[in-house]
């Protein structure tokens, strides 16, 4: 089954908000050193994902790109949102540690713009 089939019943629902998350790579990964200018300028490497909230259903969709593949998972409520912050769609745990913190960007409220889920 593909993502369109799984999300079909939500077509026409409004997207109300999204939150973008960044999980920084630690020094030494992918050639990023602690002494390089990238971390100091907040330009270091990171993996990111986005949680998208859909109105009227408490549906949340997590989207991310990993190894040239798009991963999508969805769920309902606060429990799913917490799960998505700690695990990828594959079930693999996110590498969140003191040296690899997970940072949430401020949520963006898009409800007033009338964005809808379409196929």
């Amino acid at each position: 089954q593909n993502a369109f089939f799984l999300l079909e019943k939500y077509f026409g629902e409004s997207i109300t908000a999204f939150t973008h998350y960044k999980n920084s790579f630690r020094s030494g990964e992918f050639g990023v050193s602690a002494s390089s200018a990238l971390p100091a300028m907040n330009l270091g490497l990171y993996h990111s994902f986005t949680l998208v909230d859909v109105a009227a259903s408490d549906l949340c969709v997590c989207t991310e790109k990993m190894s040239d593949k798009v991963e999508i998972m969805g769920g309902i409520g606060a429990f799913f949102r917490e799960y998505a912050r700690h695990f990828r769609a594959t079930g693999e745990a996110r590498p969140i540690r003191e040296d690899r913190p997970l940072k949430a960007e401020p949520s963006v409220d898009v409800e007033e713009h009338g964005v809808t889920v379409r196929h």
Side-chain angles (χ1 to χ4, degrees):
Q1 296 179 359
N2 62 40
F4 289 119
F5 175 78
L6 297 173
L7 297 173
E8 185 173 40
K9 71 180 183 177
Y10 300 105
F11 289 166
E13 294 285 337
S14 295
I15 294 172
T16 57
F18 67 87
T19 307
H20 187 75
Y21 291 82
K22 295 178 179 180
N23 188 201
S24 300
F25 291 114
R26 68 177 186 261
S27 297
E29 285 183 301
F30 304 104
V32 177
S33 70
S35 62
S36 77
L38 293 177
M41 298 181 336
N42 199 23
L43 295 174
L45 299 174
Y46 59 86
H47 177 70
S48 66
F49 62 95
T50 302
L51 297 183
V52 179
D53 296 318
V54 179
S57 61
D58 203 21
L59 172 70
C60 180
V61 177
C62 179
T63 63
E64 65 187 293
K65 179 181 174 269
M66 180 64 96
S67 301
D68 293 327
K69 293 184 178 147
V70 175
E71 298 179 3
I72 300 173
M73 65 177 167
I76 304 295
F79 179 79
F80 173 77
R81 286 174 179 78
E82 189 65 22
Y83 177 87
R85 284 190 285 266
H86 289 89
F87 297 93
R88 294 179 32 217
T90 61
E92 182 180 342
R94 298 186 188 283
I96 302 170
R97 301 184 301 267
E98 188 175 324
D99 63 338
R100 288 204 60 188
L102 180 63
K103 296 180 182 176
E105 299 289 317
S107 291
V108 176
D109 183 354
V110 296
E111 194 168 18
E112 71 252 15
H113 301 291
V115 177
T116 57
V117 178
R118 299 184 190 266
H119 179 352

